[in-house]
Each structure stands twice: as structure tokens, then as C-alpha cells.
Amino acid sequence: MSRIKVHDREFVKSISCEEIAAEVKKVADRINKDYAGKRPLLLGVLNGCFMFVSDLMKNLEIECEVSFVKFSSYQGSETTGKVKKLIGLSESIEGRDIIVVEDIVDTGLTMHKMLETLAESNPASLEIASLFVKPSRLQVSVDVKYSAFEIPDRFIVGYGLDYDGLGRNLPDVYDVVE
Ligand code: 5GP
């Protein structure tokens, strides 16, 4: 089925699970090569990353570890208003080779903030692997070393990405029908 409905909106299939698997494998091959002899810590950014992290790790042959983080919105003081806090990082990343694994880099603001926060803990290296990047939407300079797909400015769902909570379970990726 190439057209689906999620909540109130229609989506059309744009990237098949076979294409995703092939590109994820290519990213894994590059990481296998670049991190030979090292033991990187993959830091998945929840919630959208879970399928990508899983498939990426199954293709890694080097020693590697995984952990997950999340940005939570919480109510700060009246003066600061709503601020985002990085939660879930239980281990020390000092001196470690870190690969942040994200589902999609859109404006780049989330990833920019993430790198800023993680860099404070002095990792040995800090790189980004993102399944999707929307280059035309970037508002800040973010160097995504490992990206599987560069896509146009369209809202997508599937393979871990949601539309208002739904659609994460879809094995393929779908573009919103405007
Ligand atoms: P950024 O800070 O780069 O603008 O936003 C990144 C986050 O926005 C992603 O982790 C994801 O949660 C959400 N996002 C951005 N574009 C899309 C999209 O096309 N589809 C979905 N489902 N989420 C998106």
C-alpha cells in the first residue's frame, strides 16, 4: 500500500524499507572502517532513533556500546520559561568516542544544543549519524558526518518517525501529501 492515513493527514510512500536497509548498511560500513580498533559509544536520541540504532548496530562489526538520551521540556523558573534538559546520560563520556544517533536533522537546533551539552563532558571525539537530513531547512551549521539520506523540505513519517505519536511502526518512510 503506497498511500496511508495517519491521524487526519494523507501520506505517500517515498522510501522503501529495502532502500533504508541498503543505506543504513553503507553508514555502518563507514563507521566500521573509521572506528576500527576503537570502541565507540552510540548515543541514540529518543524517541525517533530506535529503529535506526537497532539496524545500524546489527551491521557494526567493531566493538561498540549503546546508550540513549532524550531532551525533555520542563517548566523552569518564571524568568527562564520552558527550557530543554538532556536526560538519560548515566555514564561518563569523558575520553570516549561518541557517535550521536538521530532520526532526522531538520533545523539542526536540537543537534546543535546536543553537541554543545555533550562537548562540556570532554569526549575524545564527537560525531553525528543521522538517518535523514533536510539541508534546505538548516538554521545552524551542524556537521553530520554520517547521513543516510538527504531529503527535501517535506514532513515524513515511518521507520521510527511519528506524526503526533503515530506512524513510528511503519517499516517504510512516507511523505505528507500537501
Ligand atoms: P531540529 O531541531 O533539527 O529542527 O528537529 C529535529 C527533530 O524534529 C527530530 O528529531 C524530529 O523529532 C523532528 N522532525 C523534524 N522533521 C521531521 C519530519 O519530517 N518528520 C518527523 N516525524 N519529525 C521531524
Side-chain angles (χ1 to χ4, degrees):
M1 189 176 64
S2 66
R3 265 179 111 90
I4 55 163
K5 200 161 181 200
V6 182
H7 289 298
D8 54 335
R9 305 195 73 168
E10 282 214 48
F11 290 83
V12 61
K13 194 195 278 189
S14 54
I15 307 175
S16 69
C17 53
E18 291 82 9
E19 287 173 271
I20 296 169
E23 293 306 314
V24 171
K25 170 89 171 60
K26 284 186 201 166
V27 170
D29 288 345
R30 288 180 57 203
I31 292 175
N32 279 326
K33 204 161 142 249
D34 293 352
Y35 289 83
K38 297 183 175 175
R39 187 191 292 174
L41 170 64
L42 276 66
L43 219 46
V45 185
L46 292 171
N47 293 327
C49 74
F50 68 96
M51 281 201 192
F52 181 36
V53 170
S54 168
D55 288 342
L56 183 64
M57 281 204 78
K58 281 183 266 181
N59 283 285
L60 291 182
E61 288 152 8
I62 50 168
E63 283 192 350
C64 56
E65 296 175 33
V66 67
S67 191
F68 294 91
V69 290
K70 189 170 185 165
F71 268 119
S72 87
S73 291
Y74 73 98
Q75 202 68 42
S77 71
E78 275 177 30
T79 47
T80 56
K82 273 195 174 171
V83 270
K84 284 192 164 181
K85 189 177 186 300
L86 189 65
I87 56 170
L89 190 60
S90 48
E91 55 271 269
S92 167
I93 61 163
E94 190 174 345
R96 298 292 313 266
D97 292 305
I98 304 299
I99 305 174
V100 181
V101 185
E102 175 69 291
D103 53 353
I104 184 163
V105 173
D106 183 41
T107 62
L109 294 170
T110 306
M111 197 44 77
H112 188 76
K113 171 93 176 142
M114 174 77 68
L115 294 185
E116 216 174 59
T117 309
L118 295 177
E120 287 169 8
S121 302
N122 299 316
S125 66
L126 189 53
E127 300 292 354
I128 303 169
S130 184
L131 185 61
F132 300 104
V133 181
K134 292 182 189 167
S136 65
R137 292 265 306 160
L138 281 174
Q139 287 179 19
V140 283
S141 162
V142 179
D143 180 17
V144 183
K145 183 162 185 182
Y146 306 102
S147 79
F149 295 93
E150 292 199 345
I151 59 167
D153 178 13
R154 271 200 291 273
F155 187 80
I156 59 171
V157 294
Y159 195 75
L161 289 100
D162 74 313
Y163 168 43
D164 204 9
L166 295 183
R168 294 194 197 274
N169 54 313
L170 299 162
D172 307 292
V173 164
Y174 294 77
D175 281 5
V176 73
V177 178
E178 300 294 350

